[in-house]
Amino acid sequence: MAYQKDAHGRGQIKVFIEEAYRPLFETSIYTFESLYPKASIKPSYLPEGEIIKAFFDNKVKTICISRDFTDKEKKFLRSKNVEVRSDLIAYDAVALIINPANKDTLISVDDLKNWISKDGAIWNETKRPVRIVFDKLNSANFNYLVNLSGKENLSKNVYALKSNQEVIDFVKHNKDAMGVIGVNWISDQDDFEVMNFLDSIRVVHVSKHAGEEGFQPYAGTIWTKEYPLHREMWMINKGNRSGLNTGFVLFMTGEKGQLLIQKSELVPAKAPVRLIQLTTQ
């Protein structure tokens, strides 16, 4: 019987991860490798479209993106005799951030759709042009905006940068900017770097319709869907069932991985969420 180079806790693999989820996976991979010293996971943080193409080109066996494969994509893989497993591991959200000097702290989904699909958006308070920035073309954040707008081409006031970090930095220094980032970049408030981010930006409240109450993207409002810009986080794997690729996915869907997701203030898909309602007497 041939010797298998890797196992659930041993070996070396690469995984491609949507850049919006980088903070969570940096912590998760560090924790996994601490628990399994003989395992080495090499992550690449890339735009979602590039990750999917790499998976179909057989350049990577394990990926994390914001959606499951479509029926058409799964049918194609089956035609190639490729066995794939998809696991929903968490619920997260798209966060909108602005400069602290900006007083327009509430936006409806209807207004957001107009801003990203039509030219000439202006801030209500200053009447100045809105500049909307996101990380990269074909990223999960970009795909979310395109799906939300219902159009192939976004407004001329929507610009691509190079990363979620660059979006945060741009908003810090531009009063008329609104950034579109993965909420994971600002969700873990036990993280010192996140606290530095939050000192220099403001998170926008989002309502479903104009005139309604707006919500910020916390775990509770993502879980209840009161925050309307919610989405999913999927791990898709075609690695050997007894190999390290599968071992890492099992870690993320298991108790330890789900606790890391919960600590990051995202919503774990495989564990119950505890909601606490405070009342005053």
Side-chain angles (χ1 to χ4, degrees):
M1 181 169 142
Y3 174 73
Q4 183 175 313
K5 291 183 179 180
D6 69 332
H8 280 183
R10 182 190 72 230
Q12 182 173 321
I13 61 168
K14 59 183 179 180
V15 295
F16 285 6
I17 298 162
E18 160 58 47
E19 204 254 347
Y21 308 141
R22 182 174 190 141
L24 169 65
F25 276 89
E26 285 182 340
T27 300
S28 299
I29 290 171
Y30 175 83
T31 303
F32 184 86
E33 291 180 339
S34 298
L35 293 170
Y36 303 99
K38 294 183 178 180
S40 176
I41 297 175
K42 303 298 181 185
S44 293
Y45 299 100
L46 302 165
E48 186 168 82
E50 189 175 330
I51 291 171
I52 293 170
K53 185 178 185 303
F55 190 91
F56 278 83
D57 289 343
N58 205 31
K59 293 180 179 178
V60 65
K61 293 181 178 179
T62 305
I63 63 175
C64 184
I65 56 177
S66 69
R67 66 172 179 86
D68 191 8
F69 286 158
T70 64
D71 290 341
K72 183 179 179 181
E73 289 168 329
K74 291 178 180 179
K75 183 177 180 181
F76 174 81
L77 290 167
R78 286 195 297 269
S79 73
K80 301 296 183 182
N81 294 318
V82 177
E83 182 184 355
V84 174
R85 174 166 178 171
S86 301
D87 286 284
L88 176 63
I89 67 166
Y91 301 95
D92 87 312
V94 171
L96 306 179
I97 58 173
I98 56 176
N99 187 282
N102 193 333
K103 305 304 180 186
D104 278 314
T105 58
L106 171 64
I107 187 172
S108 70
V109 173
D110 295 332
D111 284 341
L112 180 60
K113 286 181 180 179
N114 285 330
W115 285 14
I116 61 179
S117 60
K118 298 178 183 178
D119 298 338
I122 59 171
W123 291 107
N124 292 328
E125 288 280 337
T126 64
K127 306 303 179 186
R128 291 176 61 86
V130 178
R131 286 188 289 173
I132 301 173
V133 292
F134 64 93
D135 49 352
K136 281 186 178 181
L137 290 173
N138 295 318
S139 69
N141 297 331
F142 171 77
N143 292 336
Y144 193 95
L145 292 180
V146 170
N147 291 335
L148 186 67
S149 72
K151 297 186 177 182
E152 292 184 7
N153 298 313
L154 299 181
S155 163
K156 292 179 181 178
N157 57 294
V158 180
Y159 306 90
L161 299 179
K162 294 182 180 178
S163 67
N164 285 266
Q165 175 70 66
E166 282 202 12
V167 172
I168 293 169
D169 291 339
F170 188 87
V171 170
K172 281 183 186 179
H173 299 102
N174 292 274
K175 295 179 181 179
D176 298 325
M178 182 171 72
V180 180
I181 62 172
V183 74
N184 185 212
W185 279 84
I186 55 171
S187 58
D188 186 357
Q189 297 189 20
D190 289 334
D191 187 303
F192 180 74
E193 191 170 358
V194 169
M195 295 306 295
N196 282 339
F197 288 161
L198 293 174
D199 284 341
S200 54
I201 61 170
R202 180 175 290 180
V203 181
V204 177
H205 291 71
V206 183
S207 65
K208 292 181 180 178
H209 304 288
E212 295 182 354
E213 182 181 1
F215 296 90
Q216 290 182 313
Y218 298 115
T221 60
I222 294 170
W223 173 249
T224 61
K225 298 186 179 179
E226 290 172 301
Y227 182 75
L229 305 183
H230 52 79
R231 64 183 175 189
E232 298 174 341
M233 187 185 299
W234 287 82
M235 291 195 75
I236 303 175
N237 178 42
K238 58 181 175 181
N240 189 310
R241 286 176 178 267
S242 60
L244 182 56
N245 295 79
T246 299
F248 182 56
V249 174
L250 290 173
F251 171 79
M252 292 304 300
T253 59
E255 182 181 2
K256 290 185 174 64
Q258 294 291 290
L259 283 173
L260 288 171
I261 290 167
Q262 190 170 39
K263 181 186 177 298
S264 295
E265 294 297 327
L266 301 175
V267 181
K270 309 291 184 181
V273 176
R274 185 183 179 198
L275 299 179
I276 300 174
Q277 184 173 2
L278 299 178
T279 59
T280 57
Q281 300 265 329

